[in-house]
Amino acid sequence: MNILIMGASGTIGQAVIDRMGSDHDMIRAGRQGQDIQVDMTSPESIESMFERLDRIDAVVVAAGGAAFKPLSELTPADNDTAINSKLKGQVNTVLIGQHHLSDGGSFTLTTGVMVDDPIACGASASMANGGVETFVRSASFELGRGLRLNSVNPCVLDESWSKYGKFFPGFETVPAARVGMAYQKSIEGCQTGQIFYVR
Ligand SMILES: NC(=O)c1ccc[n+]([C@@H]2O[C@H](COP(=O)([O-])OP(=O)(O)OC[C@H]3O[C@@H](n4cnc5c(N)ncnc54)[C@H](OP(=O)(O)O)[C@@H]3O)[C@@H](O)[C@H]2O)c1
């Protein structure tokens, strides 16, 4: 398969490449993408990326930012980061990408543990993740040509603890290798409309 990974240079993107890179052709995307550049906050950039690519059989979005702030300090502008990136960036990738993906192809989006297990300073990211998961569950049934749509919802990765750990007191971390397996299940398996939890 030709697998497009938006966020390929990140911790999760690398986990997907480590798991699947020996069996498939991986196309690495990001703002400084190794193979192709894309800014997921821009629908025009997403459209241009798909137009520049040949056959794509699977898309992984392992990217999406959000402001982590106490609610009393969170401004509408701060909240727009999660809306434009995590939420609209992932949803727009499906809306645009559905017209470019090969028959029977798949989208795998990324959410996270805070959807179901809230943390302080996480309201904005949780909001976006919740929107993504709701979109996955309902949009998956309307995709044509055998296209599938799932999301992976990991807890904090072992490899990301130094970056995010202070926001997740008492949470158990998960190894990147197990997170990579959840993406493999979504891409190589048959399920759609699913949230694959990694806990
Ligand atoms: N790490 C964890 O523990 C964890 C757990 C659950 C969920 N998540 C979520 O999973 C996603 C990836 O996490 P991560 O830890 O792997 O992130 P990361 O290591 O910070 O990497 C982020 C990746 O996204 C790309 N990116 C950032 N902004 C982009 C944009 N506007 N357009 C296109 N690509 C963009 C970056 O590449 P460029 O700089 O080249 O654009 C990079 O490849 C995030 O949404 C995060 O919230 C992470």
Side-chain angles (χ1 to χ4, degrees):
M1 275 189 249
N2 288 340
I3 303 177
L4 171 69
I5 306 200
M6 296 164 64
S9 65
T11 309
I12 292 181
Q14 189 56 53
V16 179
I17 291 167
D18 289 347
R19 181 74 194 175
M20 307 195 67
S22 53
D23 295 328
H24 302 282
D25 290 327
M26 314 301 277
I27 297 132
R28 296 160 172 81
R31 289 166 303 184
Q32 276 91 50
Q34 216 174 303
D35 299 317
I36 192 153
Q37 288 172 2
V38 64
D39 179 356
M40 68 191 292
T41 64
S42 158
E44 294 76 19
S45 176
I46 296 170
E47 180 77 58
S48 156
M49 170 188 68
F50 279 113
E51 280 172 1
R52 280 178 285 150
L53 290 168
D54 292 329
R55 204 191 86 219
I56 296 294
D57 305 302
V59 177
V60 170
V61 188
F68 282 72
K69 282 188 169 184
L71 193 71
S72 59
E73 295 173 19
L74 189 71
T75 65
D78 291 330
N79 196 38
D80 279 347
T81 301
I83 291 172
N84 291 327
S85 172
K86 231 178 225 306
L87 178 58
K88 284 174 63 181
Q90 299 204 79
V91 168
N92 287 340
T93 297
V94 176
L95 296 180
I96 295 166
Q98 66 177 326
H99 304 297
H100 296 270
L101 223 60
S102 308
D103 290 358
S106 68
F107 295 96
T108 309
L109 309 184
T110 302
T111 57
V113 64
M114 64 182 75
V115 177
D116 311 301
D117 205 353
I119 57 166
C121 301
S124 188
S126 295
M127 170 209 64
N129 282 339
V132 170
E133 292 194 354
T134 309
F135 176 75
V136 164
R137 288 197 181 93
S138 51
S140 58
F141 297 105
E142 285 196 60
L143 284 171
R145 299 187 293 109
L147 300 180
R148 297 182 299 106
L149 169 61
N150 298 301
S151 183
V152 173
N153 175 329
C155 198
V156 184
L157 275 65
D158 294 343
E159 292 77 358
S160 302
W161 188 249
S162 59
K163 192 169 162 191
Y164 298 125
K166 64 176 187 272
F167 292 109
F168 292 88
F171 281 63
E172 284 184 49
T173 56
V174 294
R178 279 187 51 220
V179 176
M181 292 169 71
Y183 289 86
Q184 181 183 21
K185 185 192 278 188
S186 175
I187 294 166
E188 293 183 352
C190 63
Q191 299 186 58
T192 191
Q194 300 300 308
I195 312 301
F196 294 117
Y197 298 94
V198 187
R199 298 288 186 266

